[in-house]
Amino acid sequence: MIAGFLDAYGMITYRTYLSFMSGNTTQAGYEIGQGKFGPALYSVLLAIAFFVCGSFAGTLLERSSVRRIRRLVFVVIASSLALIIGLAQIGFSFSWISVAPISFAMGAMNTALSRVGDKSMSLTFVTGTLSRIGIQLALAVKRIPLTDSRGPWDSHARRALQLAAIWAGFLIGALLSGAATPRFGVWALLFPMLALSALAAFDSSSRELSH
């Protein structure tokens, strides 16, 4: 939901996605093809570059001995949003100041939070989620048994519902941002900032040191 919220905020405010890099890549390609090298294109390329940097940093953290990575990632993203709100209040309105830290943070989140339990997840790649929903539904219709079933309650249909919930969360986040951003501007970022702060405060996940 937070990824959807921030993506919608970025598109409304900066005409740039902050986590959906497929859309940014398409936009960069057709604008370059049309000879449009304006400020909007620079923001798109900046978002892509910093998303990759965030993915790089997130992978280093995931492979390091750092404990409670999720809490650290939540704090980093919440701090980035607080910084953007603060800069806006003192008159800094350059889009790259906002695009760079959020895209970096989203890249880190997408990598460091790439699994939920024993399942791989993508928090920002909604196309892949929808594709997997279709696959799971087809396997359910064909009554193909699960090769990695976790119990009698586990099924292809249940997994399709779990994926649908992730997609719905992304959609709801974008819907909330679409309603809030035109009304509240940069203050709309308070919602994801507070949500992430709460997640950081109450997250109890941990893991053993990496080897």
Side-chain angles (χ1 to χ4, degrees), residues 85-109:
I85 294 173
L87 289 174
Q89 302 314 300
I90 60 176
F92 283 95
S93 59
F94 298 106
S95 63
W96 64 267
I97 294 177
S98 301
V99 167
I102 299 182
S103 292
F104 179 91
M106 295 306 293
M109 183 173 77

Side-chain angles (χ1 to χ4, degrees), residues 112-164:
L113 306 180
S114 60
R115 299 191 68 82
V116 176
D118 63 342
K119 298 180 180 64
S120 62
M121 295 287 179
S122 176
L123 302 179
T124 62
F125 184 47
V126 178
T127 303
T129 300
L130 292 173
S131 176
R132 290 171 62 192
I133 290 173
I135 292 171
Q136 293 294 335
L137 289 175
L139 295 175
V141 169
K142 296 291 290 185
R143 298 182 182 276
I144 296 176
L146 285 168
T147 58
D148 58 344
S149 176
R150 302 181 64 192
W153 48 267
D154 198 4
S155 67
H156 290 296
R158 178 183 172 85
R159 293 186 180 189
L161 287 175
Q162 289 175 331
L163 292 167

Side-chain angles (χ1 to χ4, degrees), residues 16 24 28-29 32 40-50:
T16 302
N24 283 340
I32 292 173
L41 178 58
Y42 301 143
S43 294
V44 169
L45 294 177
L46 191 70
I48 294 172
F50 273 84

